[in-house]
Amino acid sequence: MTLAPARRPDTLRRHDREIVALAVPAFGALVAEPLFVMADSAIVGHLGTAQLAGLGVASALLTTAVSVFVFLAYATTAAVARRVGAGDLRAAIRQGMDGVWLALLLGAAVIAVVLPTAPALVDLFGASRTAAPYATTYLRISALGIPAMLVVLAATGVLRGLQNTRTPLYVAIAGFVGNAALNVGLVYGAGLGIAGSAWGTVIAQCGMAAVYLVVVVRGARRHAASLRPDAGGIRASARAGVPLLVRTLSLRAILMIATAVAARLGDADIAAHQIILSLWSLLAFALDAIAIAGQAIIGRYLGADDPRGAREACRRMVQWGIAVGVVLGFLVIVSRPVFLPLFTDDSTVKGTALPALIVVALSQPVCGIVFVLDGVLMGAGDGPYLAWAMLLTLAVFTPAALLVPVLGGGLTALWAALTLMMTIRMLTLWLRARSGRWLVTGATR
């Protein structure tokens, strides 16, 4: 990918140091997030099967609701980083506060929807009669923590834009530990059952949000930035987030279609698909960490009116994405005999998963390029292009996936379709990166 000419070794080392300094803590924070659900599952699982099933349904609903608003982190990172590059820290933090206020407004709206509709949402997700009451209880209580979850997203974007990924790592670790301790104490110590698990999560999320707000408010006072909500700034944050929302919804639609197709292939196929999807998600964390570094670094270079530096950083991060993808693919191949028995003893499921895992392994370098360029274009504030590119990808993937049960090939063919999806994303992102149209400099795009 010829995005910029080769540079001296000292320039490459500088880019490498920046990428590592931002990506490694970001990876730790990303991995810590799903540990919340794992801790809840481990603790609630000992209450009974119905409680665990209820938690599974409620967690899926909450995860979907929060992940839809991940643009709060992405858009805020890019906007804040631009102003940091322009040397205007006051405006950078002011922009971040607009994102935080937007998070609070969206969180309040989600609560207003979820609380009265919780039983209907649980039924929609197919909870059994025994699991539904537990799912409804957990969902209603946990929904109270959604504004805090969204504030965490927005404030994380602020700190990433300020080139700080260490604080989110520390907060994520503290949040995980606090969540686990609260869950044990409230579920068993206080005897609150699944409600105790929900309250523990709410308290932990509110604690994390409070820590972030303290950090952001201190920065605002240090640079004399206003903390009051600004209608114009909030609207601007929302406008920047809409294209990223379209992108995220399109991606989630792709994953939902894939799961629905796998379910039609049979029990062994859907079981194997869930195992592979969990691995694919874990691999995505490593690649997404580089993408997060890209959002912060690219935004800063463009804000500093340095398109050449942005091109050089993009080129180096693509090289990192390919290299990490190759390593991850190799690890998937060599760890297959160890990985699959951790999830199942069923020889049919393992036999179904093995060839599909090869496809996943071979696709990792492609995934590396996709994640990196996705982060680069987000950092450049190129959301509208990302939205249209993802809609195109969805349009191509959908018929390809729906043809899998008709044409045969089973789960391996489905993951080949998912690899086709990633390849299309790579091509659309590569063409945009090569064109240079994303290189819009200045404190705002």
Side-chain angles (χ1 to χ4, degrees), residues 224-249:
S226 174
L227 296 174
R228 294 180 179 179
D230 176 69
I234 293 172
R235 284 196 299 270
S237 295
R239 283 195 300 270
V242 168
L244 297 180
L245 175 61
V246 173
R247 167 203 168 274
T248 300
L249 290 174

Side-chain angles (χ1 to χ4, degrees), residues 95-437:
Q95 179 72 41
M97 284 304 305
D98 292 334
V100 171
W101 281 111
L102 177 61
L104 287 170
L105 291 174
L106 291 173
V110 173
I111 288 179
V113 171
V114 171
L115 287 183
T117 61
L121 291 171
V122 167
D123 288 340
L124 183 64
F125 266 58
S128 67
R129 288 185 178 180
T130 54
Y134 297 111
T136 301
T137 296
Y138 190 93
L139 181 60
R140 277 181 166 159
I141 296 173
S142 294
L144 300 176
I146 286 179
M149 296 179 194
L150 300 188
V151 167
V152 167
L153 284 177
T156 299
V158 176
L159 296 181
R160 289 173 180 170
L162 294 171
Q163 317 296 297
N164 177 2
T165 56
R166 290 184 177 273
T167 298
L169 171 61
Y170 300 148
V171 174
I173 293 173
F176 167 70
V177 173
N179 178 67
L182 286 165
N183 269 257
V184 171
L186 294 175
V187 171
Y188 297 112
L192 297 179
I194 195 169
S197 177
W199 281 117
T201 300
V202 170
I203 294 169
Q205 291 288 352
C206 288
M208 292 171 64
V211 171
Y212 274 119
L213 288 176
V214 167
V215 173
V216 173
V217 168
R218 284 180 178 175
R221 289 177 175 171
R222 188 180 307 118
H223 297 285
S226 174
L227 296 174
R228 294 180 179 179
D230 176 69
I234 293 172
R235 284 196 299 270
S237 295
R239 283 195 300 270
V242 168
L244 297 180
L245 175 61
V246 173
R247 167 203 168 274
T248 300
L249 290 174
S250 300
L251 180 57
R252 291 204 66 86
I254 287 171
L255 297 178
M256 289 176 65
I257 290 170
T259 300
V261 170
R264 290 190 176 189
L265 296 176
D267 290 347
D269 293 88
I270 186 60
H273 176 73
Q274 288 303 112
I275 294 171
I276 297 172
L277 189 60
S278 67
L279 174 63
W280 191 81
S281 300
L282 178 62
L283 299 175
F285 286 136
L287 298 173
D288 202 27
I290 306 174
I292 288 170
Q295 293 170 28
I297 293 170
I298 295 300
R300 192 189 73 231
Y301 273 117
L302 294 179
D305 197 21
D306 186 2
R308 180 179 177 84
R311 278 188 176 274
E312 293 168 355
C314 177
R315 177 187 176 88
R316 192 57 173 171
M317 281 183 282
V318 168
Q319 293 171 347
W320 269 83
I322 295 172
V324 173
V326 170
V327 171
L328 292 176
F330 173 77
L331 292 176
V332 170
I333 291 174
V334 299
S335 66
R336 284 180 304 149
V338 178
F339 173 74
L340 287 174
L342 294 176
F343 290 87
T344 181
D345 295 322
D346 190 320
S347 59
T348 303
V349 174
K350 288 190 285 188
T352 302
L354 278 172
L357 276 175
I358 295 293
V359 176
V360 171
L362 295 176
S363 70
Q364 288 309 296
V366 173
C367 294
I369 297 173
V370 169
F371 275 82
V372 167
L373 290 181
D374 205 38
V376 165
L377 296 184
M378 283 184 190
D382 206 11
Y385 181 84
L386 292 173
W388 283 112
M390 188 58 77
L391 286 171
L392 172 64
T393 304
L394 174 62
V396 175
F397 169 78
T398 300
L402 295 178
L403 283 173
V404 169
V406 178
L407 299 179
L411 190 66
T412 303
L414 176 59
W415 276 95
L418 284 164
T419 300
L420 170 66
M421 177 270 293
M422 294 301 290
T423 303
I424 295 169
R425 289 188 69 194
M426 181 186 70
L427 291 174
T428 57
L429 296 174
W430 178 79
L431 289 172
R432 186 65 167 183
R434 188 177 178 83
S435 73
R437 294 177 183 174

